[in-house]
Amino acid sequence: MADFDPEKFEDKYANYFPELQQAYKNAFNRMNDRYDSQLVHAIDQQVLNESEPFYEGDGEFRVELPAEPYERLSGVVVDEERFETVLERHVEEIETELRRVFGFA
């Protein structure tokens, strides 16, 4: 775990890239164990690859998604409601992992 500095998180990719990778990887692995791996892979590669984590303060993180995430999906057939449910859960997992990796959980 890195010593977390909210100001350094503003340039997160320069200062915390390994920790961000670890948080996303841990969340992916947990999701891949629980949900359809084809859908989880598609979400990871086609939606979350363009997501942006932000530190909100008080140990809380938020993951901002690209516009119209369902429209980005290709190569997997899933109804929008199921997609939204799995995506929401995946984002929750990432936010949990960010808290854990940075020592807030």
Side-chain angles (χ1 to χ4, degrees):
M1 177 188 73
D3 289 332
F4 184 77
D5 180 341
E7 288 182 24
K8 287 174 65 178
F9 199 77
E10 291 177 23
D11 193 9
K12 60 190 147 273
Y13 299 113
N15 296 312
Y16 294 118
F17 190 71
E19 293 84 357
L20 293 170
Q21 279 187 312
Q22 189 63 53
Y24 272 72
K25 180 181 177 183
N26 292 349
F28 172 83
N29 288 339
R30 193 166 7 274
M31 291 298 297
N32 203 37
D33 289 344
R34 296 180 183 160
Y35 296 93
D36 172 31
S37 65
Q38 189 175 12
L39 176 56
V40 171
H41 279 266
I43 288 172
D44 182 62
Q45 295 297 308
Q46 298 169 24
V47 178
L48 295 174
N49 67 333
E50 296 291 328
S51 69
E52 186 77 26
F54 292 94
Y55 181 64
E56 297 288 288
D58 295 325
E60 294 298 318
F61 291 86
R62 168 180 60 87
V63 174
E64 187 174 293
L65 298 173
E68 301 184 30
Y70 184 71
E71 306 306 319
R72 298 168 136 296
L73 200 62
S74 65
V76 63
V77 177
V78 62
D79 67 77
E80 192 166 356
E81 184 177 332
R82 176 73 176 150
F83 168 80
E84 292 292 337
T85 299
V86 174
L87 177 60
E88 182 178 317
R89 185 69 191 116
H90 202 141
V91 168
E92 289 170 1
E93 288 290 341
I94 293 168
E95 292 168 350
T96 296
E97 282 300 315
L98 287 167
R99 286 190 299 277
R100 191 188 66 71
V101 165
F102 288 110
F104 294 108

